[in-house]
Amino acid sequence: MKSLPFRRVFRTSFLSFIFCLFWPYSGFSQETADGFLAQGVAFSKEGEHEKAIPSFKRALELDPTLEGVRLNLGIAYFKLQSFEEAAETFQQILERNPENSSALVFLGLSLQGQEQYEKSIPYFEKAGKLDPDFHQLALFNIGKAHSQLGNFEQSAEHWNKAIKADPGSELAEGAKALLKLQADKKPQKPWHLSFGAGFEYDDNITVDEQDLTTNLDDFSYIFEFSGAYKFLKTPKLELEAGYDFYQSLHDDLAAFDIQSHIFSLSGSHELGKFNLGLFNFYNRTTLGEKDFLEILSASPSVGYAVSEKWYATLTYAYKDTHFFDSPLRDAQNHGFSFGNFFFIMDGKGIIQLSYRFENEITTGEEFDYLGHYVNSQVKLPLGKKTKIILGHKYIFRDYKNVTVSIGEKRDDFRHTIEFGVAQTIYKNVFGKLDYQFIDSTSNLASSDYKENIASLTLGVSF
């Protein structure tokens, strides 16, 4: 009687061994496409889309024709904001079944996730026609696409149709909210103009480009004009041409009157999370009614939003400077800068911190230098109509060769403290008060000085 339990244990162990040996091929196997599909769906319901994707992929490997796998895989990608992979998956579904309305809707949403708004519209239109259940959703998203493209009449038309389709739905409430936001939002003009006039007091008239310090003070009248026209604007690409004019007229020292004309061309292009930019300008300046200098510059840049409150930029700048009366100072300048912009007070205030390195190569070797520039600035709102600006600039220029007049290499150190107030007086009319203190230290006497500059400007902008 004692041998009975042993026989039962042996028989149970043997049957378990046989079951394990043949389990992968048995009807109880979980290694099936249906099993992995069910597993993926379970992960998705729990919001674990990263875990769901391998299950859906394994299901496709086992049975590429299994219904519903690709749609669930595409939706998992979409939930993870992997819009490119999602769009590719939905395209595969539509290649097999061009009238799959769910795939059409999600493909449209995935394209909008990539900011390809114009491409998304036909997919929503087709889905809305094929499936009445998607009619309102399609109208809502077509309206969003047109709004992003700047087609505000079309967006309002589609949102109104979405409201009429089911007035009591959440989509209808969303369409009403977007219509109100769009109505409150002023359409951006492709151009802007600004005029300003005022006066300036300078207690030490200097011309940095010529290392000239007068130790004389003077008042001057200043006139400014700025204009720009944005001749191309899409959700990802912008191109703008601009012109800036500046004129100073001194009371006594007319030889230091400055007139400058700056022509600019700039562009930006969004590439994923990056913003690529290019700024080009040509500057021609006269000093005392005589041709003084001209500058040609090109600056490509890349920007990246590190977070909602931090934007960083990396810029290379090339500058070619020609002096009409001082050919030895003609120069080519290569600069690299790193900038940081921190948004505070709900985006109304900005803190800027930047560093720039320059290598200037001139015709006259004594003017060659390596430059280091550190800039910090804070812009803060003071009420609804007033902004204050506080800033500090530090410059160190390490000259490479001996300066003949002093018999040694030259070193320049400069601190500039800035304070400004901008006030909206009435609608487009504004006033600006600016003050600068410059403390320049150098072993070249003409570049060793202190200077105070104060200006008051009134202007109008459109």
Side-chain angles (χ1 to χ4, degrees):
M1 296 297 293
K2 292 182 180 180
S3 62
L4 183 58
F6 174 80
R7 285 199 299 269
R8 288 178 178 173
V9 170
F10 175 82
R11 184 170 58 194
T12 302
S13 300
F14 179 77
L15 289 174
S16 298
F17 172 76
I18 296 298
F19 175 78
C20 293
L21 186 64
F22 293 97
W23 176 78
Y25 310 101
S26 70
F28 298 99
S29 172
Q30 293 183 6
E31 286 280 339
T32 64
D34 288 326
F36 279 107
L37 172 59
Q39 186 182 64
V41 170
F43 281 132
S44 291
K45 285 182 177 179
E46 295 296 323
E48 298 181 284
H49 304 292
E50 290 182 352
K51 293 182 179 179
I53 288 172
S55 298
F56 293 138
K57 285 184 174 181
R58 181 59 179 148
L60 282 175
E61 290 174 3
L62 293 170
D63 186 356
T65 64
L66 183 61
E67 186 177 354
V69 182
R70 280 190 174 83
L71 184 63
N72 280 282
L73 175 61
I75 293 172
Y77 279 130
F78 179 81
K79 293 288 187 180
L80 292 171
Q81 297 187 352
S82 300
F83 299 120
E84 291 184 15
E85 291 85 350
E88 183 180 349
T89 305
F90 296 127
Q91 286 279 19
Q92 293 172 1
I93 295 171
L94 294 172
E95 288 173 4
R96 294 170 171 79
N97 180 10
E99 297 188 350
N100 187 315
S101 55
S102 296
L104 287 165
V105 167
F106 276 104
L107 178 55
L109 293 171
S110 300
L111 290 170
Q112 288 195 355
Q114 300 174 71
E115 298 184 1
Q116 298 181 30
Y117 298 103
E118 192 165 3
K119 287 181 66 176
S120 73
I121 292 174
Y123 296 104
F124 288 121
E125 288 177 338
K126 188 173 181 179
K129 291 176 182 177
L130 287 172
D131 191 338
D133 291 338
F134 287 133
H135 177 62
Q136 186 188 34
L137 180 64
L139 290 169
F140 179 84
N141 283 288
I142 294 170
K144 281 182 61 179
H146 280 300
S147 180
Q148 290 293 332
L149 292 168
N151 305 325
F152 300 120
E153 289 185 7
Q154 291 96 320
S155 62
E157 178 186 348
H158 283 86
W159 283 334
N160 280 316
K161 287 181 179 179
I163 294 169
K164 290 179 181 178
D166 187 356
S169 66
E170 290 185 9
L171 279 174
E173 292 301 317
K176 291 175 185 177
L178 290 174
L179 278 169
K180 186 177 184 305
L181 284 174
Q182 185 167 283
D184 294 340
K185 184 179 177 182
K186 295 180 179 179
Q188 290 186 343
K189 302 187 301 288
W191 55 270
H192 69 81
L193 298 173
S194 177
F195 304 87
F199 63 88
E200 180 178 276
Y201 173 74
D202 190 336
D203 71 351
N204 184 4
I205 305 295
T206 62
V207 182
D208 290 333
E209 294 84 358
Q210 291 185 328
D211 301 318
L212 176 61
T213 306
T214 67
N215 292 314
L216 298 172
D217 68 325
D218 200 4
F219 281 93
S220 63
Y221 302 94
I222 55 177
F223 304 90
E224 300 172 326
F225 167 77
S226 176
Y229 180 76
K230 195 167 290 183
F231 55 90
L232 178 63
K233 179 176 173 58
T234 69
K236 286 183 173 284
L237 180 65
E238 293 185 5
L239 293 175
E240 182 177 87
Y243 169 70
D244 294 274
F245 170 82
Y246 175 84
Q247 174 74 65
S248 67
L249 299 172
H250 288 78
D251 274 347
D252 300 319
L253 304 175
F256 294 92
D257 290 349
I258 295 175
Q259 184 182 105
S260 71
H261 305 265
I262 301 175
F263 302 88
S264 62
L265 180 64
S266 61
S268 64
H269 175 62
E270 287 190 17
L271 188 63
K273 296 182 179 180
F274 295 91
N275 185 284
L276 307 181
L278 180 62
F279 180 72
N280 307 284
F281 74 84
Y282 170 75
N283 177 10
R284 190 179 182 94
T285 301
T286 63
L287 181 64
E289 297 185 351
K290 296 181 181 179
D291 285 333
F292 178 45
L293 62 78
E294 60 180 359
I295 301 172
L296 184 63
S297 177
S299 304
S301 64
V302 57
Y304 180 74
V306 182
S307 68
E308 290 184 0
K309 297 183 179 181
W310 178 14
Y311 187 76
T313 60
L314 183 64
T315 305
Y316 163 74
Y318 170 77
K319 185 169 63 175
D320 190 315
T321 305
H322 168 63
F323 289 84
F324 289 94
D325 293 330
S326 305
L328 291 179
R329 292 181 181 269
D330 289 353
Q332 291 186 341
N333 185 295
H334 301 272
F336 298 88
S337 62
F338 177 61
N340 296 276
F341 301 85
F342 301 95
F343 302 96
I344 58 176
M345 302 174 67
D346 296 326
K348 297 176 182 178
I350 300 175
I351 299 174
Q352 178 184 349
L353 300 172
S354 64
Y355 167 76
R356 184 171 87 253
F357 170 79
E358 285 185 352
N359 180 19
E360 179 142 306
I361 304 168
T362 59
T363 303
E365 292 183 352
E366 69 173 289
F367 302 110
D368 293 352
Y369 69 82
L370 299 176
H372 303 269
Y373 302 76
V374 179
N375 182 30
S376 58
Q377 189 179 78
V378 180
K379 295 182 181 179
L380 298 172
L382 192 63
K384 293 183 178 180
K385 297 184 178 182
T386 307
K387 286 186 178 181
I388 61 172
I389 301 172
L390 299 171
H392 175 261
K393 295 179 181 177
Y394 171 74
I395 299 174
F396 167 51
R397 287 179 178 170
D398 181 15
Y399 286 79
K400 303 176 187 177
N401 303 301
V402 173
T403 299
V404 176
S405 61
I406 58 176
E408 61 180 340
K409 290 184 179 181
R410 174 181 163 190
D411 287 323
D412 285 1
F413 303 87
R414 183 180 303 173
H415 293 273
T416 301
I417 297 173
E418 299 176 315
F419 171 75
V421 180
Q423 173 74 40
T424 300
I425 299 172
Y426 176 74
K427 292 185 178 180
N428 296 335
V429 181
F430 63 88
K432 291 191 301 180
L433 175 65
D434 294 297
Y435 168 75
Q436 283 188 348
F437 170 70
I438 301 171
D439 184 359
S440 181
T441 304
S442 175
N443 53 351
L444 179 68
S446 59
S447 289
D448 191 76
Y449 64 89
K450 289 180 173 59
E451 184 177 10
N452 293 275
I453 306 171
S455 65
L456 177 63
T457 307
L458 295 177
V460 58
S461 62
F462 303 94

